[in-house]
Amino acid sequence: MIDIKTYVKDAEEKMEMSLSFLDDALASIRAGKANPRLLDQIRINYYGSVVPLNNVATISTPDARTISIQPWEKSLSKEIEKTLQNSEIGITPENNGEVILLRIPPLTEERRKMLVKQAKQEAENAKMSVRNARRDSIDGLKKAIKEGLPEDMEKDGEAEVQKVHDRYIKKIDDIFAAKEKEILTV
C-alpha cells in the first residue's frame, strides 16, 4: 500500500533544507552591524590545510560595529589579516599583534537598497526550491495513482503538500521581512 505521508514528509524535508540554506545565505549579507557569521566563508591556510577561520581563532563582537578575531596562535595573525584583506567582505582589518578588529562601517542608503534586493533574490530562490519540492511530491502522488493509490487519497495528499508549502512560503516571507527590517534600520 502506498502511503501519502511519505510524499508529504519528503516534500517537508526538502522545504526545510531550502529554509536552512536561505538562513545561511542571509547571514552572509552584511546589515550594517557586526555579526560573526559574516566570517563563515573565510578559510585560512593552517599548516598546509585550509580550515574555517573559527577553527583557528576566537571570533566575538565586543560592540554593535566591531568584530574581534583573536588567533589561537600569534603566528597566524598575519595570515588571517592577509586573507581578510583579499576576501569579498570589503572591510580592512586592523591588526594590533594580539587581536584583529573589523570595524563595520555604516551603510549608505544606496548600499542598503542593494542589500535588500540581494536578500529578496535569496528569498525568491528559496521560494522556488519550496515550489519545486511541492511539484515533485505532487508528481509522485499522481504517478502513485497508476500504482493503485485511490484518487481521493491522492487529492488529500496534494492538499496536505499544499498546506506544508503555504507554511514554508510564509516562513520565508517572515525571514525576509526580518532581514529587510534589519538592513534598513539605521
Side-chain angles (χ1 to χ4, degrees), residues 126-170:
K127 284 181 180 182
M128 225 181 334
S129 295
V130 168
R131 289 185 199 113
N132 288 341
R134 176 189 60 183
R135 186 194 64 226
D136 292 346
S137 287
I138 290 174
D139 288 349
L141 285 166
K142 287 182 179 177
K143 287 178 185 166
I145 289 177
K146 295 174 185 159
E147 297 171 17
L149 181 72
E151 267 189 52
D152 59 334
M153 282 182 75
E154 185 265 342
K155 291 293 179 200
D156 291 346
E158 274 189 40
E160 190 72 29
V161 169
Q162 185 63 41
K163 284 180 192 170
V164 172
H165 166 269
D166 294 345
R167 192 171 70 233
Y168 276 92
I169 292 292
K170 181 168 179 7

Side-chain angles (χ1 to χ4, degrees), residues 77-163:
S77 125
K78 288 284 184 208
E79 179 70 28
I80 291 172
E81 183 181 16
K82 188 174 83 175
T83 302
L84 288 170
Q85 283 176 338
N86 295 335
S87 73
E88 294 179 9
I89 292 176
I91 302 169
T92 305
E94 299 172 24
N95 187 354
N96 67 9
E98 300 264 329
V99 177
I100 299 168
L101 297 176
L102 293 175
R103 301 209 188 275
I104 311 294
L107 297 172
T108 63
E109 189 63 31
E110 183 181 317
R111 181 73 177 134
R112 287 179 194 281
K113 287 179 182 173
M114 275 180 37
L115 291 175
V116 167
K117 199 180 276 187
Q118 182 183 350
K120 186 168 183 64
Q121 184 59 50
E122 293 294 345
E124 282 304 315
N125 290 345
K127 284 181 180 182
M128 225 181 334
S129 295
V130 168
R131 289 185 199 113
N132 288 341
R134 176 189 60 183
R135 186 194 64 226
D136 292 346
S137 287
I138 290 174
D139 288 349
L141 285 166
K142 287 182 179 177
K143 287 178 185 166
I145 289 177
K146 295 174 185 159
E147 297 171 17
L149 181 72
E151 267 189 52
D152 59 334
M153 282 182 75
E154 185 265 342
K155 291 293 179 200
D156 291 346
E158 274 189 40
E160 190 72 29
V161 169
Q162 185 63 41
K163 284 180 192 170

Side-chain angles (χ1 to χ4, degrees), residues 160-186:
E160 190 72 29
V161 169
Q162 185 63 41
K163 284 180 192 170
V164 172
H165 166 269
D166 294 345
R167 192 171 70 233
Y168 276 92
I169 292 292
K170 181 168 179 7
K171 283 182 184 180
I172 290 170
D173 287 338
D174 293 345
I175 290 171
F176 170 70
K179 186 65 176 184
E180 182 179 34
K181 183 179 177 194
E182 180 186 334
I183 291 170
L184 294 176
T185 302
V186 179

